[in-house]
Amino acid sequence: MGRPENFDETPRAEPRRPRHVAIIMDGNGRWATRRGLPRLAGHRKGADAVRAVVESCPDFGIEVLTLFAFSTENWKRSTEEVSGLMNLFRRYMRRESAELSRRGAKVRFIGDREGLAPDIREMMAGLEAQTAGNDRLTLVIAINYGGRAEIAAAARRLARRVASGEIDAEALTEAALTNALDTGGLPPPDLLIRTSGEQRISNFLLWQCAYAEFVFVDDLWPDFDRAALARALAQYGARERRFGAVAT
Ligand code: IPE
Ligand code: IPE
Ligand code: MG
């Protein structure tokens, strides 16, 4: 698939700064409800909050930002909310494409595209192609994403290659599975942030977060800004990552 067979999992030279930050952008609904507004107003405000965070990342030395925008479980919501969210994705891609290029952001989507409307899929592919040459920040957007579904799909793809005789079953190593995931070729998240006070992973990047540091913040996602990101990064900087070894 043109991806490197291995990527470097060793901690970076400057361990106090995360290279890859992943965010579960939660709390849009509560933000709206507290103001007596419809939930979609919170999602709209949440989409605006994305811009400030994307802008800030290169200043903090972050190379990869992964945002959880819509989970495979979010289809359980009302058709009104789901279609409102889909329209917001359309609007975001239309409105932000020029700005993302200006910021040097390369966009990559993860998740099951088959379940999305054809026009959205087309816009996603267009945005990826349009930003492919940028290199200041890799912005990974998870839409119709579920960690378990991703692992199962990767296992299916590898199993097909074994069944066809292309590879040996012994070749199904951790590295092979890592690279077969939607995130293949990317470093694993160093820091996972979840907003809104919830302390759970909700099926996000299950495999990739094996050694991520978790920071849970009370801010609702629409209120999350550069200062909130800086606070989360400070928490990360105070952590000691051991990767199973004994502290030195
Ligand atoms: C996160 O905000 C956005 C999505 C899941 C799409 P929520 O919509 O989950 O907001 P709360 O958790 O209901 O406040
Ligand atoms: C996780 O938030 C998904 C996204 C932020 C896109 P949810 O609001 O869907 O998660 P739960 O239902 O509280 O676990
Ligand atoms: Mg939520």
Side-chain angles (χ1 to χ4, degrees):
M1 274 191 283
R3 286 173 179 161
E5 274 306 310
N6 272 305
F7 64 80
D8 184 11
E9 276 225 45
T10 52
R12 67 194 308 207
E14 200 189 343
R16 304 258 165 232
R17 291 227 261 181
R19 183 177 179 201
H20 181 172
V21 174
I23 308 183
I24 300 177
M25 309 184 289
D26 199 10
N28 294 349
R30 276 163 283 172
W31 184 94
T33 304
R34 282 179 199 172
R35 287 165 175 76
L37 297 168
R39 291 179 58 85
L40 262 178
H43 294 313
R44 225 172 283 131
K45 196 81 177 128
D48 294 341
V50 169
R51 181 183 269 215
V53 171
V54 167
E55 269 177 28
S56 307
C57 281
D59 301 338
F60 291 120
I62 296 164
E63 293 168 28
V64 183
L65 173 68
T66 300
L67 299 175
F68 202 4
F70 191 87
S71 78
T72 47
E73 288 72 36
N74 286 147
W75 298 105
K76 294 176 188 164
R77 299 184 179 200
S78 73
T79 42
E80 188 193 356
E81 182 166 349
V82 169
S83 63
L85 281 164
M86 294 299 152
N87 283 332
L88 270 178
F89 297 145
R90 291 183 175 96
R91 193 177 76 154
Y92 179 81
M93 289 191 278
R94 231 184 352 256
R95 279 204 185 172
E96 297 294 317
S97 69
E99 173 71 11
L100 287 167
S101 282
R102 237 189 330 271
R103 298 272 163 204
K106 182 208 299 245
V107 179
R108 173 162 165 184
F109 291 97
I110 59 171
D112 180 12
R113 298 181 196 215
E114 298 299 306
L116 299 169
D119 71 303
I120 294 186
R121 270 152 47 188
E122 229 169 85
M123 290 175 85
M124 288 161 68
L127 190 56
E128 284 176 328
Q130 193 193 315
T131 60
N134 299 337
D135 61 3
R136 270 189 95 215
L137 174 74
T138 298
L139 174 61
V140 183
I141 306 177
I143 296 186
N144 197 21
Y145 175 88
R148 288 183 166 188
E150 179 195 33
I151 293 167
R156 268 196 307 278
R157 279 194 291 274
L158 290 171
R160 268 187 231 114
R161 293 174 64 193
V162 171
S164 72
E166 189 192 333
I167 54 170
D168 199 84
E170 300 310 311
L172 301 193
T173 58
E174 286 190 22
L177 191 48
T178 298
N179 280 298
L181 297 172
D182 293 358
T183 50
L186 296 169
D190 302 292
L191 168 62
L192 175 77
I193 300 171
R194 183 171 187 146
T195 58
S196 88
E198 308 293 351
Q199 303 192 354
R200 56 178 168 263
I201 196 161
S202 298
N203 204 13
F204 192 42
L205 302 176
L206 296 180
W207 175 279
Q208 298 87 338
C209 280
Y211 270 101
E213 295 294 327
F214 287 30
V215 169
F216 299 105
V217 303
D218 287 334
D219 312 69
L220 301 175
W221 174 252
D223 296 323
F224 194 85
D225 57 10
R226 187 186 175 95
L229 177 61
R231 283 192 295 275
L233 292 171
Q235 280 198 55
Y236 173 88
R239 302 272 176 92
E240 187 189 19
R241 300 184 77 187
R242 289 195 283 273
F243 300 95
V246 176
T248 50

